[in-house]
Amino acid sequence: MASDDQIDLFSLGELAAPAQPLDPELIPTDAKVPIPTGTYSDMEEIKAHCNRCHRCELGATRTHAVVYRGNIKAPIMIVGEGPGENEDLQGLPFVGKSGQLLDKILESVQLTEADVLIANIVKCRPPENRTPTPAEMDACRPYLLEQIRIVDPKIILLAGASAVRGLVGDKRGITKIRGEWIEWEGRFCMPVFHPAYLLRNQSREKGSPKWLMWQDIQTVRAKLDELQQS
Ligand code: URA
């Protein structure tokens, strides 16, 4: 072998390294650039893209984009508002106190992580846990729409007013619209209180937020049973 053709052992690592999953140059950094339906083939692609995303300013301060936990073939999707501190650190949604309560609510009607996929309206933590702005929700919406397309859930739980506004565009307060099915894109969407709100309202009295959540989650369980029988 001529010396010019010899393989440089020090560059073997580079040759063997896997191709980057996505070229950062190709990621739309302007929220006006659409991400069309069918862009992603699976949830891991969405996750990789979100971790490089700068379609809004939240990308500048995140530790991890928080894309999902649960079963990608689940019949139920749960959509929250956006990651908090624990979620940002771990890269998983609803892993703090709200998440523990959410898991308990699900368990109360025999639902586990196998039955749900949990996601959020915005994938990156808003500073100081503020409510995401309409522009941030709009910028992030294509990712959620792609998640819904891939999971194809029969039922979507919308936890809190931001989730309702961010997905179905209804701006009414959650107290007004919780507990009533909204049909959206052929799916049954149920607005419910956000678990953080329940943590601040501990009463279990009839008519209290916790009591109402108990009614709503039973309604969801009954709908799932009905859909699975038909
Ligand atoms: N609150 C949310 O809305 N989402 C999370 O992932 C955690 C807390």
Side-chain angles (χ1 to χ4, degrees), residues 80-82 87 93-94 120 194:
E81 179 178 284
E87 290 78 16
F94 282 100
N120 279 309
H194 192 285

Side-chain angles (χ1 to χ4, degrees), residues 79-113:
V79 180
E81 179 178 284
E85 186 180 14
N86 292 306
E87 290 78 16
D88 172 70
L89 290 173
Q90 293 185 44
L92 292 169
F94 282 100
V95 289
K97 285 215 165 89
S98 292
Q100 285 163 18
L101 179 56
L102 178 62
D103 289 344
K104 275 195 189 163
I105 292 165
L106 297 172
E107 273 167 31
S108 74
V109 289
Q110 288 78 50
L111 293 172
T112 67
E113 252 203 13

